[in-house]
């Protein structure tokens, strides 16, 4: 089978809260008649992003074409989860025209690309492209600064700051694997922030790639789909901190699922989530909440102290149950302290 006959797969990678789900929602809504399938990989035992995407299902991407892989990082569970899921999609009478994979914010894309060489699927799918999302506002703020002088200046201001953290390596591996980098939160970064983010990322890239500003995931799908990169055949041009390693671990990160009572004061909860980020170094919080007197469930997501929330749909027949997934570096996840911080 020729490469042209293979079903294209776009890998969407990016750090926690960079906007991957928002981008895929936009692609689903602007499929231009293509039949899509979406694989969602989340870190932690409770899936939130998959539920968000399923709420956007339509004829171009029906709910059964949105598959959650929640048994661990997709690049660590290739044989158990990824390959069987791809085979199941390819065995359908109506096959997708294009497959989108949303990796966990902690996943490394290169090991996933290697999976496309597995005999069961290598003649049937190809990596059309790797799209890396980078939070332009965060990068502009120097959270992953490649300039040693800038890192030293940050260290001087904060004795706890370390450039060579697991987070920086994940970020660098993601952008170094990319065919296109999307600078998200462009509206928050502004022109000066975008310029700073471009410079920081360019200093890490092994080769020049397009870097495009994006707000709320809005980009013409023709720009990022149909790249025909065949990335699985181009691994040498995509260096990783983990090259030469047989496997990688995610022991640097941990998550905990917290159940809450019905929420009566949304702003008080938002303040508690912000305090967790500030005082306990929590990276990400996401989940659904039952709010007193409201028939709709509340979707809450945070990246650091930036918290967003909205009512997304009625609870319907499912139980009104509030759950939050809290993600951080291993040493910062203390379930008792997190529960206390949330007032439960």
């Amino acid at each position: 089978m020729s490469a042209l006959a293979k079903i294209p797969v776009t890998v969407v990678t990016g750090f926690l809260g960079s906007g991957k789900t928002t981008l895929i929602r936009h692609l689903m809504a602007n499929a231009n008649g293509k039949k899509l399938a979406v694989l969602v990989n989340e870190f932690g035992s409770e899936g939130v992003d998959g539920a968000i995407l399923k709420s956007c299902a339509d004829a171009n991407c029906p709910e059964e074409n949105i598959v959650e892989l929640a048994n661990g990082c997709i690049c660590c569970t290739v044989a158990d989860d990824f390959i069987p899921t791809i085979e199941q999609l390819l065995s359908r009478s109506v096959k997708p025209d294009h497959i989108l994979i949303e990796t966990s914010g902690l996943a490394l894309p290169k090991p996933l690309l290697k999976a496309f060489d597995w005999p069961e699927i290598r003649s049937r799918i190809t990596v059309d492209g790797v799209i890396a999302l980078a939070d332009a506002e965060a990068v502009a703020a120097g959270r992953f600064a490649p300039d040693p002088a800038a890192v030293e200046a940050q260290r001087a201001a904060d004795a706890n700051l370390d450039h060579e953290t697991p987070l920086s390596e994940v970020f660098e591996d993601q952008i170094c694997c990319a065919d296109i980098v999307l600078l998200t939160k462009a509206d928050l970064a502004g022109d000066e922030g975008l310029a700073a983010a471009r410079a920081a990322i360019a200093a890490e890239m092994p080769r020049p790639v397009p870097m495009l500003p994006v707000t709320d995931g809005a980009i013409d799908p023709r720009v990022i789909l149909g790249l025909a990169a065949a990335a699985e055949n181009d691994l040498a041009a995509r260096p990783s901190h983990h090259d030469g390693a047989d496997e990688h671990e995610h022991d640097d990160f941990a998550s905990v699922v917290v159940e809450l009572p019905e929420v009566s004061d949304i702003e008080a909860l938002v303040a508690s989530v912000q305090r967790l980020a500030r005082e306990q170094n929590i990276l990400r919080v996401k989940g659904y909440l039952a709010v007193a007197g409201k028939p709709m469930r509340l979707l809450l997501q945070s990246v650091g102290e930036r918290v967003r929330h909205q009512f997304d749909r009625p609870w319907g027949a499912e139980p009104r149950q509030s759950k939050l997934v809290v993600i951080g570096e291993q040493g910062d996840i203390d379930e008792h302290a997190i529960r206390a911080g949330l007032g439960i």
Side-chain angles (χ1 to χ4, degrees), residues 174-197:
Q174 289 173 348
I175 62 172
C176 287
C177 198
D179 295 290
I180 292 178
V181 174
L182 299 184
L183 301 172
T184 63
K185 321 288 176 66
D187 54 331
L188 300 178
D191 291 343
E192 186 175 335
L194 284 170

Side-chain angles (χ1 to χ4, degrees), residues 12 19-27 131 133 182 217 219 224:
V12 179
K20 300 186 297 296
T21 303
T22 301
L23 173 68
I24 291 178
R25 287 178 69 175
H26 176 77
L27 295 175
I131 310 301
L133 277 60
L182 299 184
I219 188 169
I224 60 174

Side-chain angles (χ1 to χ4, degrees), residues 17 31-32 38 44 53 71 88 114 146 177 179 212 233 250 264 271 300:
N32 297 322
V38 180
L53 293 175
N71 294 326
Q88 189 270 331
K114 293 178 180 178
C177 198
D179 295 290
L212 308 174
N233 298 325
H250 288 305
S264 57
L300 183 144

Side-chain angles (χ1 to χ4, degrees), residues 106-178:
L106 304 175
L108 306 178
K110 190 167 182 178
L112 177 58
L113 299 191
K114 293 178 180 178
F116 283 75
D117 196 40
W118 280 54
E120 294 91 335
I121 62 172
R122 65 187 177 193
S123 65
R124 304 161 72 190
I125 60 174
T126 181
V127 183
D128 181 69
V130 178
I131 310 301
L133 277 60
D135 185 320
E137 185 186 35
V139 175
R143 295 175 200 167
F144 298 99
D147 182 351
V151 172
E152 289 303 325
Q154 289 174 329
R155 283 177 175 164
D158 184 349
N160 295 318
L161 187 60
D162 182 2
H163 175 62
E164 293 301 329
T165 63
L167 298 181
S168 66
E169 290 191 3
V170 170
F171 178 78
E172 290 161 10
D173 275 21
Q174 289 173 348
I175 62 172
C176 287
C177 198

Side-chain angles (χ1 to χ4, degrees), residues 43-311:
F43 185 83
S45 59
E46 291 288 330
V48 174
D49 295 344
I52 294 172
L53 293 175
K54 286 179 181 178
S55 70
C56 304
D58 58 18
N60 291 320
C61 189
E63 187 169 334
E64 61 267 24
N65 279 19
I66 302 171
V67 183
E68 295 176 78
L69 301 179
N71 294 326
C73 169
I74 194 172
C75 50
C76 301
T77 59
V78 167
D80 294 334
D81 291 311
F82 175 65
I83 299 297
T85 299
I86 290 292
E87 288 185 304
Q88 189 270 331
L89 286 174
L90 298 179
S91 68
R92 295 183 180 178
S93 56
V94 179
K95 297 178 177 58
D97 298 316
H98 203 114
I99 299 172
L100 306 175
I101 298 178
E102 177 186 343
T103 70
S104 157
L106 304 175
L108 306 178
K110 190 167 182 178
L112 177 58
L113 299 191
K114 293 178 180 178
F116 283 75
D117 196 40
W118 280 54
E120 294 91 335
I121 62 172
R122 65 187 177 193
S123 65
R124 304 161 72 190
I125 60 174
T126 181
V127 183
D128 181 69
V130 178
I131 310 301
L133 277 60
D135 185 320
E137 185 186 35
V139 175
R143 295 175 200 167
F144 298 99
D147 182 351
V151 172
E152 289 303 325
Q154 289 174 329
R155 283 177 175 164
D158 184 349
N160 295 318
L161 187 60
D162 182 2
H163 175 62
E164 293 301 329
T165 63
L167 298 181
S168 66
E169 290 191 3
V170 170
F171 178 78
E172 290 161 10
D173 275 21
Q174 289 173 348
I175 62 172
C176 287
C177 198
D179 295 290
I180 292 178
V181 174
L182 299 184
L183 301 172
T184 63
K185 321 288 176 66
D187 54 331
L188 300 178
D191 291 343
E192 186 175 335
L194 284 170
R198 287 178 187 274
I201 292 172
E204 290 293 340
M205 296 296 292
R207 64 196 189 288
V209 302
M211 284 187 270
L212 308 174
V214 175
T215 296
D216 293 330
I219 188 169
D220 188 331
R222 294 173 298 177
V223 175
I224 60 174
L225 303 184
L227 302 181
E232 69 274 18
N233 298 325
D234 188 31
L235 296 179
R238 304 165 191 266
S240 164
H241 286 282
H242 298 81
D243 283 341
D246 292 332
E247 60 183 23
H248 68 277
E249 302 294 338
H250 288 305
D251 291 342
D252 299 304
F253 306 99
S255 69
V256 63
V257 178
V258 180
E259 295 189 16
L260 294 85
E262 199 167 74
V263 176
S264 57
D265 188 336
I266 296 174
E267 293 310 313
L269 179 63
V270 168
S272 296
V273 171
Q274 292 172 326
R275 192 162 53 248
L276 286 180
R278 186 166 59 249
E279 298 178 1
Q280 299 186 43
N281 299 318
I282 295 304
L283 302 172
R284 185 89 159 98
V285 177
K286 54 185 177 179
Y288 295 106
L289 301 162
V291 179
K294 300 292 185 181
M296 300 185 74
R297 66 183 189 179
L298 183 76
L299 168 63
L300 183 144
Q301 301 190 79
S302 75
V303 184
E305 291 189 55
R306 187 192 304 149
V307 182
R308 293 185 178 184
H309 57 83
Q310 66 186 69
F311 289 101

